[in-house]
Amino acid sequence: MISNSYQRIKELLVESGLKATHPRIAVLHELTKDEHPSAEQLHEKIREQNPSISLGSVHRILEKLVEANLAYRVATRSGTKRYDANLEPHSHIYSVNTEEIQDYHDPELNELIRDYFEKKQVGNFKITDIKLQINGEKADPDQQVTIL
């Protein structure tokens, strides 16, 4: 996860070739505090401290952050774009009936996928990252998904 100190966020933006503007800092800062928000959810939170920021600006900033590899888009069945600032290798568990997205860290699973591709001798292709999303439904929407 990206450190959410303002100074570190400014450094990351500059290191990624982006200007460290106040709106970009505000969006990335809020994104590091919230798990998998939509642009609309981020806009609502950011607008409290920055009333002049538009939803369109938040959308554009998020896309710039994705291009700069400071955030990822996370797919949902409804088509809503959700975003993730957790840059550590991880997968997602997505509950289609509640629209919840949960991080899932499992290096063993990533290694299984890498071994599978090696065994299948997939040519002219080198895995640089694995982003797996497991879709399902929560049996009890009021309970958390548990991972042992």
Side-chain angles (χ1 to χ4, degrees), residues 17-31:
L18 298 173
K19 288 184 180 179
T21 63
H22 180 73
R24 285 180 180 158
I25 294 167
V27 169
L28 187 53
H29 181 259
E30 192 61 43
L31 184 59

Side-chain angles (χ1 to χ4, degrees), residues 76-139:
T76 65
R77 183 176 276 184
S78 67
T80 302
K81 291 180 186 174
R82 306 262 295 269
Y83 296 87
D84 189 358
N86 183 350
L87 304 179
E88 296 173 4
H90 69 287
S91 298
H92 292 113
I93 293 177
Y94 172 61
S95 176
V96 297
N97 60 331
T98 63
E99 292 275 321
E100 293 173 81
I101 300 170
Q102 182 174 333
D103 286 346
Y104 179 61
H105 298 269
D106 189 341
E108 182 182 357
L109 178 59
N110 287 351
E111 195 58 37
L112 280 169
I113 293 170
R114 287 181 195 282
D115 290 346
Y116 176 83
F117 269 73
E118 188 175 309
K119 185 176 107 182
K120 292 295 183 177
Q121 298 179 342
V122 175
N124 195 31
F125 186 76
K126 179 184 176 195
I127 296 174
T128 57
D129 191 21
I130 296 172
K131 294 283 181 223
L132 178 67
Q133 181 165 308
I134 302 163
N135 297 336
E137 293 185 1
K138 290 172 82 175

